[in-house]
Amino acid sequence: MAIRRVFSLVVGISVLCLFLCVSSSKLRSNKKWHFPKATRKALSGYDYKTYYFKQQVDHFGFANADTFLQRFLLADQYWNNDGGPIFFYTGNEGDIAWFCNNTGFMWDIAAEFKALLVFAEHRYYGESIPYGSEAFKNPTKLNYLTSEQALADFADLINYLKSSIPGASQSPVIAFGGSYGGMLAAWFKMKYPNLVLGALAASAPILQFNGITDCEAFNEVVTQTFERESAGCVSNIRASWQLINNYGMTDAGRKLLREIFHLCQPLNASSDVDTFKDWLTGTWVNLAMVNYPYPANFLEPLPAWPVRESCKYLSNPATSQGLLPDIFAAISVYYNYTGQATCLDINQQGTSSLGDMGWDYQSCTEMVMPMCSNGVSDMFEPMEWNFTQYSDNCYKMWQVKPLLDWITTEYGGTSLESASNIVFSNGLLDPWSSGGVLQSQSRSLISILIPDGAHHLDLRSANVQDPYDLQAARVQEVNILKNWLNQV
Ligand SMILES: *[C@@H]1O[C@H](CO)[C@@H](O)[C@H](O)[C@H]1NC(C)=O
Ligand SMILES: *[C@@H]1O[C@H](CO)[C@@H](O)[C@H](O)[C@H]1NC(C)=O
Ligand SMILES: *[C@@H]1O[C@H](CO)[C@@H](O)[C@H](O)[C@H]1NC(C)=O
Ligand SMILES: *[C@@H]1O[C@H](CO)[C@@H](O)[C@H](O)[C@H]1NC(C)=O
């Protein structure tokens, strides 16, 4: 998940199967469900089939009868159709196949639970786009990109699966999700307790909202994750901003910045320097988010413990080459670990399948997560949270004004007492843990902390380099799921 920065209007710089591939046709409920024996080799090694389900564009009104096709992935090879549960991934802001690829935990435990796996794509992402190419050109066509509509899609899809798959009607459903998908998993359990038995909400910052979490908190966690490697790393990054500002003031300085950082484009004006600093900030944030204990390719191909690798260039006082070349070397761990990058593009934060446009719009409507920095308890340039400015920028970009407090009204903020059966897991290296539920709220609202974990590390597949605390967290998660299922 990316964060929307106040100063940047550049989108994407923010900062956080088959029934033989039944393409473009709604699953027909009157047709007998049938699982082909044919080989189902999936490229990722994860073997699933892709389907499309016809959804209402607007679940909350009657004037608009438009529909769209929602993609979902289904894996039934582990499923016991006589009582086995349905593990349902509540898709977030990107291509569902990419989340499916990166949620190995569900695959790892599917056989033990004899579970049916379903990965449902979020509307306006991947292939599930109401109004297709028109969607992002017209505010009235984008109007249906909300978390409430997405949850209603999941609800209708579950009802449809239960009514059409033989043996599924009584299957208990467990929702899984990471990041925004984790928020959706938790909210899904709260809003549709009739459909979901429990939820595993990994790295779900449901408290990263106005009046609940301090706007500094996120950047403080980023800083602590770097501090864990070395204090010098943090002080060097903190010192770099002033240097960049100095260079940024003149044409000659901006030319040097471009040379030092191997940028694809020239920095023409001081506004480009702001974009450049936003991009650097986003890079540090992303490094902390994906600070995984083994080489992984989530946002970018990276080595194990990328923050450590990055800080190797910054732990001492600046080398004779100077601080900025050291900063460049440090961010090259993120952008050029493979050695293939020809230049660095300040309009790009990664090669992931995240739908940056859609998330930018959501950040400009419901998902307003206040962020700020002070340069003292964090390593960034001081930047105040200014909702007026944020809102003005949103209006320029999308012709909509954000609602600062709606999410808390809709989902309850810290008032979780009426909810049950949710696991909130958080890796403490992950900046988003700042808005996570870090304390158990009741016997069935359980917080699991993973001190050595980054962004939803627990949802990834098991790895020999998994830290002990992660292994323990997964054992606990499995036991909790078993408890819930045993109570059915
Ligand atoms: C999923 O993984 C496979 C194999 O690694 C890859 O070919 C495919 O492009 C991935 N899909 C996405 C959307 O990342
Ligand atoms: C600077 O101007 C050039 C030429 O117009 C353009 O190609 C480039 O993208 C601009 N740089 C940035 C960072 O926008
Ligand atoms: C990426 O790394 C390779 C190998 O070290 C290097 O030749 C290339 O210049 C680097 N690319 C950038 C954009 O710095
Ligand atoms: C917030 O931004 C608005 C619009 O850009 C500006 O007029 C106002 O002075 C800012 N407020 C503060 C406290 O900086």
Side-chain angles (χ1 to χ4, degrees), residues 260-263 328 332 335-344:
I260 294 170
F261 284 90
H262 299 189
L263 301 181
F328 166 71
S332 291
Y335 290 109
N336 195 17
Y337 176 53
T338 58
Q340 303 294 306
T342 51
C343 62
L344 304 190

Side-chain angles (χ1 to χ4, degrees), residues 9 20 27 113 130 156-157 161 170 240 270 416 448:
L9 267 181
L20 258 30
L27 284 174
F113 283 89
D156 273 354
L157 176 58
L161 294 174
Q170 300 302 317
S240 68
S270 60
L416 299 171
I448 296 181

